[in-house]
Amino acid sequence: MRRVAVIGTGHSKFCFNSPKTQVELLSEVAIDAINEANIAPKDVQAVNVGNVLGDFEEGQGMVQSFFANDIGCFNVAASRFEGACASGSMAVRDAVMWVASGYYDIMLVGGVEKATAMGTGLATRTFAMFGDSRYEFPAGFTFPAVFALLAHLYSSKYGIPLATLKEQMAAVSVQSHEYAMNNPNAQIHKEITVQDALKSFMVSSPIQLQDACPFTDGAAAVVIASEEVAKKLSKKPVYFAGIGQASSGKLSSQSKYLPRIYARELASQQSYKMAGLTPKDMDLCELHDCFSIAAMIAAEGLGFFEYGKSGEAWQNGETRIGGKIPINISGGLKAKGHPIGATGVSQVYEVTRQLRGDMVDQGRQVEGAKNGIIDTLGGDGVLVSMILTNQ
Amino acid sequence: MEYKLTFKDYNKGLKQDKLMGLKCNDCGTVTCPPMMVCANCASTNHEIVQLSGKGKIVTFTTSYIAAEGRENETPYTIAMVELEEGPWIMGNLVSMDTKKVTMDIIGKPVQLGNRVYPGDKYSNGDMARAAFGLIG
């Protein structure tokens, strides 16, 4: 297989109540990515789009074809990916395989979502569609509830008193809000304290409002190309060193491993193996912190900390710039925002820009970073991992 | 090949407080809720069995928000229960005031009853769920 690189990136401001349509949001960032890649829309051979709930958000299905047409990628193969919150990552991983195989040389991958258009009630209903509709939704399944179940299980299984765990979870959110202050694309620019988090509205015990990411509107796009094409067009191509994806069934069916997410461990092991790298080789990480406890579970599953120990790592600053592994220097899903179909593409954008050294002006550059990993979790059952490198 | 135990039949049983599952003739594992294959060895050589409906709580949450159309159910407690026969299922804990539910309930034994969610425009019909009560 050929090496594949990111050669262009685009990212919208993440926000509540965007006045733009999904096609507009995505088209703007796609043209930015195309311009940065020094190509024209006609050079794009195929388009992949992560979009989860466009049907509910603005009555728009099949957004990928209307989007491709709007940006002048006339009549190309355009495909939509739906894997809940991992949809954008699935779209990227799939495109990497098409280019690696030699079938295409240049592809455009985008992700877009207007989750806030649904309002909180419908958004909560539709997000719950990514749990098991027959066997788990009837009990009142929502995503805050899933991670609330895992938080209590984490406390019980690892013998961490709930009050201690809650402080650790708050520390995760505090760090994300702090780094988001330096990300102009972030949805939330407001620092919080541990006390703020512990005093916030109880959503689903023990998950409080400040343990949870917001609903978000936004888009991101990347142009990817074969190494040969990338070297001609880009001064700083960033390569996919490894990719992985795995799935799992309904939450109760994962009983042997919970609160570990086994599919994540499989997906990341695929990435590490393909890259010939280990967790120790990673210089930064963007992981799926839809909830504070989710970030802790992810950091352990990716191999950065022992099981039950990641909360202490956050509290001790090991997840900050200069720490053992800088995590979610973008502000993460918690404060950067989580437009679900776009999230994976946004993570690739962030890590690519870090590996190009583009974050100096924003004051959040991980100096000398060579390798970065992204981790995305979709619903109960899609896990995607990708390792990027500038080497 | 047809499902041995469909959602329709599982739902019908649960509405009568009968928890139905599948026992694998190859490895002995009990699968519940039902699947096409054995949850452990992927064999289709399994048969329908009625489970005891007894188990213990492994984790829980009390939700103060709900999906659209279910707001009047809040607050409610979701319990994940490990059944005597091995599998975990998700249901509600209904025998206790939600305000009094703490981590102390983890490990406590429960017995299954049921409540029916009438469904909404997306759900293709009604669905029973396990409604657990503490025992002992």
Side-chain angles (χ1 to χ4, degrees), chain A residues 181-202:
Chain A
M181 295 296 287
N182 290 335
N183 181 353
N185 291 325
Q187 181 174 9
I188 300 173
H189 286 133
K190 184 174 185 289
E191 291 200 55
I192 61 166
T193 65
V194 167
Q195 282 310 310
D196 292 335
L198 295 175
K199 278 189 283 186
S200 61
F201 171 72
M202 184 63 78

Side-chain angles (χ1 to χ4, degrees), chain A residues 56 121-122 125 129 133-141 148-149 152-153 155 202-205 251-252 255-256, chain B residues 7 10 33-34 59-65 67-68 70 76 78 88 90 92 103 117 120 122-123 127 129:
Chain A
F56 292 89
L122 181 58
R125 174 68 182 95
M129 292 177 182
S133 70
R134 302 293 99 184
Y135 297 111
E136 298 196 341
F137 182 69
F141 178 107
L149 290 167
H152 281 146
L153 189 61
S155 167
M202 184 63 78
V203 178
S204 191
S205 69
L251 191 69
S252 58
S255 60
K256 274 188 210 164
Chain B
F7 168 72
Y10 173 88
T59 187
F60 74 98
T61 179
T62 297
S63 284
Y64 297 87
I65 56 111
E68 188 176 79
R70 303 190 68 174
Y76 56 86
I78 299 176
W88 288 17
M90 192 186 286
N92 295 122
M103 285 203 46
Y117 166 58
D120 64 10
Y122 308 117
S123 67
M127 292 174 269
R129 79 270 199 177

